[in-house]
Amino acid sequence: QVQLQESGPGLVKPSETLSLTCTVSGASISSYYWSWIRQPPGKGLEWIGHIYYSGSTNYNSSLKSRVTISVDTSKNQFSLNLSSVTAADTAVYYCARRLVSPNLDANWLDPWGQGTLVTVST
Amino acid sequence: SNELTQPPSVSVSPGHTATITCSGEKLGDMYGSWYQQKPGQSPVLVIYQDTKRPSGIPERFSASSSGITATLTISATQAMDEADYYCQTWDSSTGVIFGGGTRLTVL
């Protein structure tokens, strides 16, 4: 079955760049959209953005100026960079596959990775 | 508006039916999805395209949609169903939208 695994530093200093990678197994990354979502401690889910294997991206407007999502089809991985981080960016970061209905009137996220906690602190 | 509104909490007795609602303008023209998140775990898709249940999700999970409101129903609720539930849809201009989440307590 399709599995996703996030990896990257668990601690990032304020003003630096948060970098995470999601490794996909059980499916080719060249067939779907791939998303990043985050969840601050004790709070709800926030979509960060997604990428298609071709490199086409779509970002949350509230984060757009700081976010870059990229894909490496040779490694079946996609990555997240979030620049100029502050304590407000402390969260569990999830990667997930985005599925879309043929007539584009539905999309959903399945499966999700286990998530990785990133803390922004000195 | 591109918001999805859920009640913060719902309580249900074991064996009874739990109902969680999600309201938002985008549900009027886009399908919705539902996710279950247990403490310390990642979200799991339980409903997609308003009413479809992925393989492996128990039949006691069902959903419906009318107008701008989507409803998740859990029949014969079990203790293991205690979790946070999130609805989700899509807005072509803003992207993926999540509801604020509903904590389901089984007591």
Side-chain angles (χ1 to χ4, degrees):
Chain A
Q1 80 270 25
V2 181
Q3 292 184 313
L4 292 84
Q5 178 67 59
E6 305 88 350
S7 60
L11 180 64
V12 181
K13 290 183 169 57
S15 79
E16 296 189 345
T17 296
L18 178 160
S19 296
L20 297 173
T21 295
C22 182
T23 300
V24 179
S25 59
S28 170
I29 205 164
S30 299
S31 302
Y32 301 97
Y33 289 89
W34 304 92
S35 298
W36 286 99
I37 305 99
R38 70 180 184 179
Q39 185 172 36
K43 297 189 178 180
L45 301 169
E46 179 181 33
W47 174 72
I48 298 171
H50 65 240
I51 190 165
Y52 194 47
Y53 75 93
S54 62
S56 171
T57 55
N58 194 342
Y59 300 136
N60 185 324
S61 58
S62 68
L63 299 169
K64 190 172 184 176
S65 63
R66 299 193 291 130
V67 172
T68 302
I69 298 176
S70 58
V71 64
D72 186 337
T73 55
S74 67
K75 295 181 179 179
N76 230 38
Q77 295 176 335
F78 64 106
S79 298
L80 168 70
N81 278 358
L82 180 65
S83 64
S84 305
V85 297
T86 69
D89 295 310
T90 294
V92 175
Y93 286 76
Y94 297 100
C95 57
R97 180 178 61 174
R98 175 182 172 237
L99 296 166
V100 184
S101 59
N103 53 355
L104 306 182
D105 57 359
N107 71 106
W108 56 97
L109 301 164
D110 181 60
W112 296 55
Q114 68 182 30
T116 187
L117 174 63
V118 179
T119 301
V120 179
S121 175
T122 55
Chain B
S1 171
N2 59 5
E3 294 182 346
L4 294 178
T5 301
Q6 301 180 234
S9 63
V10 167
S11 297
V12 63
S13 299
H16 289 239
T17 297
T19 299
I20 301 173
T21 59
C22 173
S23 297
E25 287 186 10
K26 293 311 297 182
L27 291 175
D29 49 30
M30 294 293 289
Y31 287 100
S33 306
W34 290 92
Y35 303 87
Q36 175 194 66
Q37 185 179 33
K38 296 182 179 180
Q41 298 183 20
S42 54
V44 172
L45 179 74
V46 294
I47 296 287
Y48 66 101
Q49 281 188 276
D50 277 358
T51 60
K52 297 180 179 179
R53 193 175 54 248
S55 61
I57 300 301
E59 290 185 7
R60 64 179 181 275
F61 287 87
S62 64
S64 62
S65 183
S66 177
I68 63 168
T69 299
T71 302
L72 175 68
T73 301
I74 309 172
S75 305
T77 306
Q78 301 180 10
M80 68 170 63
D81 300 328
E82 189 162 281
D84 293 329
Y85 291 85
Y86 293 90
C87 59
Q88 173 256 314
T89 191
W90 169 261
D91 181 320
S92 59
S93 60
T94 60
V96 173
I97 307 168
F98 288 105
T102 298
R103 175 148 298 177
L104 177 67
T105 302
V106 182
L107 42 69

